[in-house]
Amino acid sequence: MSAAKAAAVTAKSAVPKLELKGVYKSFGANKVLRGVDISVQKGKSLVVIGGSGTGKSVMIKCVLGILYPDAGSITVDGQDTTHAKGAHRDELMRKFGMLFQGGALFDSLPVWENVAFGLIQGRKMDRKQAREIAIEKLNAVGLPARVGNLYPAELSGGMQKRVGLARAIASNPEIIFFDEPTTGLDPIMADVINDLIIETSKGLGATTLSITHDMASARKIADDIAMIYKGQIIWHGNAKDIDHSGNLYVEQFIKGSATGPIKMEL
Amino acid sequence: MSIADEQKQEVIHHWSPLDGLQKLGHTFLNFFSGAGRLFLFAMQSIYHCFSPPFFGRLLIRQLLDIGYYSLPVVGMTTLFTGMVLALQSYTGFSRFSAEGAVATVVVLSVTRELAPVLAGLMVAGRIGASIAAEIGTMRVTEQIDALTTLSTNPFKYLVAPRILAGTLMLPALVLIGDVIGVFGGYLVGVYKLGFGPENYLHKTWEYLTATDVTSGLWKAAAFGFIVTLMGCYNGYHSQRGAQGVGAATTNAVVSASILILVVNYFLTQFFFAGK
């Protein structure tokens, strides 16, 4: 490989898969995001930790285009997507998969159609072919084909998370977002979901951005961890450095201590 | 001075005449910003009703839900309204020997006003509430956000099929309601009040014009649009939790019912004023 070609490849790989720069978002007088700066390299797993109400979900919703930031920029593969709409947004959404905190499965559709929804509606795939892929993805998250014919209300919380995960990976996305993937699950099921997240995202070679306040989950699935507090990233580093970050906020959070610089607003 | 007196004095001390003015201003601003949001929502909904992709399967489901399954409610309402109207107008008109006008009064009242307005109100209760509850629940459980992440526009998938179905099906329901309402009047007129069947039918047709029926159908289309729009709007903007969905459902029914009555006045003026 020539030196120029090698330099070009290096430069391309240095471009983060996803990057947020100075992102601000307010709701009336409530300033939720106050200049979020964060980036994830291709194929890496970043977990953002932080307490309730610190802006984690709003940050992900800004990336997904469900909310638009007041200021700052969001880039995917180096391309500005901050205010992408219409066809540009549609094209962008095909790169994304999302696992919602509560699953957000469509009650009126059977499980297989939930999993195949993005393929049928978003990519106009034939229903029969989409069903086959849906069953394959259900198997990938450890659910038998017969679950495909059930409705979401007939499933347990853990099964709903698995279906949500199958839906998130159904269209082989390049970037997968996980919103509190283990919340509300028992420790064993939480660990099963963590394993599935690692297995499926590594299998796809996908970049992942997760938000959680479950430290066990963060330690297991993260390459990098960042902490958000009052709408700003206050620490960002390698997952194995989390226990000696030297940051008092991070230390208090990972210990789950009531005393420290973070004061709970009661 | 007691603590209660001190608190009272403090309250009096902090009150300013500007507070009232500020509250009044807030109320006006909230009203106009709400009206603006509703107008933009309506425009966006209409745009998505006529721009592809179209969800035919969902439209058919909504046509059935709003049209076919509302038939018993609308049918019963118009049947008994026609029957009561015949009884009331007979007893009222007999005071000045105008009993012969009963059939005409029934058919004109039913087609012009009662069938469209009552069907609109009944459908507001049945469909407006169910739309608001369904979409509101989808909002609070993040299903609407999930639609967006799956490259599906919630306006096209949720709002457009419901608004199209409401606008198309209410005129059909009202047309059937017209026939049932007139039939109710016929039953009472012929079997209770002693009118001859042929005479009653003759009187029914004698003064009825096409405008009487079509004006009712246009009204029905407008009411169908209002009911489904208010259901979708309130559900889409539902606040968090069960209480939020409950409030959205109530607001959908109340606002649709009031709008139906207000719009009915202006449509009646448009169709019949000066004629």
Side-chain angles (χ1 to χ4, degrees), chain A residues 61 64 66 93 100 104-107 109 117 121-122 127 167, chain B residues 55 57 141-143 145-152 157 240:
Chain A
K61 285 181 178 177
L64 291 168
I66 294 168
M93 296 313 280
F100 285 88
L105 301 177
F106 305 124
D107 308 316
L109 301 178
F117 193 92
Q121 308 298 351
R127 286 175 71 85
R167 184 172 71 180
Chain B
F55 292 93
R57 198 182 277 255
T141 55
E142 295 185 303
Q143 290 179 51
D145 291 343
L147 279 176
T148 308
T149 65
L150 294 164
S151 308
T152 305
Y157 189 79
R240 295 243 165 234

Side-chain angles (χ1 to χ4, degrees), chain B residues 37-271:
Chain B
R37 271 200 302 272
L38 176 61
F39 178 76
L40 288 176
F41 189 92
M43 291 299 108
Q44 216 174 339
S45 305
I46 292 169
Y47 169 77
H48 286 293
C49 283
F50 298 105
S51 67
F54 301 107
F55 292 93
R57 198 182 277 255
L58 292 176
L59 180 61
I60 290 168
R61 193 190 297 169
Q62 292 303 324
L63 288 172
L64 275 175
D65 241 17
I66 296 173
Y68 183 71
Y69 293 117
S70 295
L71 253 179
V73 176
V74 173
M76 293 296 277
T77 306
T78 48
L79 177 72
F80 283 99
T81 302
M83 291 167 76
V84 168
L85 196 60
L87 272 180
Q88 283 284 17
S89 47
Y90 181 81
T91 51
F93 289 1
S94 62
R95 291 176 191 170
F96 42 92
S97 307
E99 299 93 331
V102 167
T104 311
V105 167
V106 169
V107 72
L108 292 187
S109 307
V110 168
T111 54
R112 285 182 173 201
E113 287 299 327
L114 294 173
V117 171
L118 292 178
L121 293 175
M122 297 309 283
V123 172
R126 201 184 94 77
I127 295 297
S130 108
I131 290 176
E134 190 180 353
I135 296 183
T137 306
M138 291 184 75
R139 163 64 69 202
V140 300
T141 55
E142 295 185 303
Q143 290 179 51
I144 293 181
D145 291 343
L147 279 176
T148 308
T149 65
L150 294 164
S151 308
T152 305
N153 187 321
F155 270 85
K156 286 193 191 302
Y157 189 79
L158 294 175
V159 179
R162 284 168 172 80
I163 287 185
L164 268 177
T167 311
L168 291 173
M169 287 317 289
L170 215 66
L173 282 171
V174 165
L175 194 60
I176 296 167
D178 284 347
V179 175
I180 295 174
V182 170
F183 178 66
Y186 172 88
L187 287 178
V188 170
V190 172
Y191 296 105
K192 189 165 175 62
L193 305 175
F195 286 98
E198 284 171 18
N199 182 36
Y200 190 95
L201 287 177
H202 174 70
K203 290 282 182 190
T204 297
W205 287 110
E206 193 176 6
Y207 295 105
L208 183 69
T209 64
T211 315
D212 297 322
V213 178
T214 53
S215 66
L217 299 185
W218 282 113
K219 282 181 177 184
F223 300 160
F225 176 76
I226 288 170
V227 167
T228 45
L229 176 73
M230 297 316 291
C232 292
Y233 175 79
N234 284 288
Y236 201 85
H237 293 100
S238 173
Q239 301 294 311
R240 295 243 165 234
Q243 202 177 8
V245 177
T249 308
T250 308
N251 288 342
V253 177
V254 172
S255 57
S257 303
I258 290 172
L259 270 176
I260 283 173
L261 297 174
V262 173
V263 169
N264 182 47
Y265 171 79
F266 289 105
L267 287 177
T268 305
Q269 193 175 20
F270 174 76
F271 283 117

